[in-house]
Amino acid sequence: QRSPLQAKPVPKSSAALQRKMREPEVASSLIKKIFSHYVKMPVARDAFKIVEKCSERYFKQLSSDLEAYTNHAGRKTVEMADLEVLMRRQGLVTDKMPLYVLIERYLPLEYR
């Protein structure tokens, strides 16, 4: 028996615990597949590492911006309007190129 004043043993950190604490990442195989599709040529390993870092930073910034727009609107859920504001600020959505045109042009039917 342990006395009430005795400290509890501290569990050793396991590899599984460390994996849970890391931030989620987009799989590098997915980034490579998407990037290779658009670049249509081989990519050097060191160049691809830079593409991975840029992709990670892009998605972090995208998420942060969407969170800010949602909070500013007083909501707790990201909505289509937030995405449209973000894409408008990025110059992807304009008066001449509305969001629905981009959706029809780039998304397959099952995602529209």
Side-chain angles (χ1 to χ4, degrees):
Q1 276 190 2
R2 236 184 337 194
S3 71
L5 298 176
Q6 197 175 25
K8 291 182 182 178
V10 177
K12 295 181 182 178
S13 72
S14 66
L17 182 61
Q18 289 176 351
R19 266 186 261 121
K20 285 182 183 179
M21 296 179 78
R22 285 190 297 181
E23 287 185 13
E25 297 176 353
V26 176
S28 48
S29 60
L30 178 61
I31 293 172
K32 188 171 190 172
K33 184 177 180 179
I34 293 168
F35 188 71
S36 297
H37 171 78
Y38 288 105
V39 78
K40 296 181 179 25
M41 63 180 61
V43 179
R45 181 172 283 149
D46 58 338
F48 180 69
K49 289 293 180 193
I50 294 171
V51 169
E52 276 186 306
K53 284 184 180 181
C54 291
S55 297
E56 181 182 329
R57 287 184 182 164
Y58 172 77
F59 282 110
K60 280 183 179 179
Q61 186 64 52
L62 178 99
S63 301
S64 176
D65 289 348
L66 287 172
E67 183 180 7
Y69 300 157
T70 303
N71 288 337
H72 181 73
R75 290 183 271 104
K76 293 184 182 254
T77 303
V78 176
E79 294 182 358
M80 184 68 97
D82 303 316
L83 290 164
E84 189 166 1
V85 168
L86 177 71
M87 293 177 79
R88 191 169 287 279
R89 292 192 70 168
Q90 291 176 335
L92 298 170
V93 170
T94 63
D95 291 338
K96 292 182 180 181
M97 182 59 69
L99 181 59
Y100 71 88
V101 173
L102 289 174
I103 290 170
E104 289 177 3
R105 186 177 291 175
Y106 294 107
L107 291 179
L109 282 174
E110 62 266 20
Y111 293 120
R112 292 185 195 170

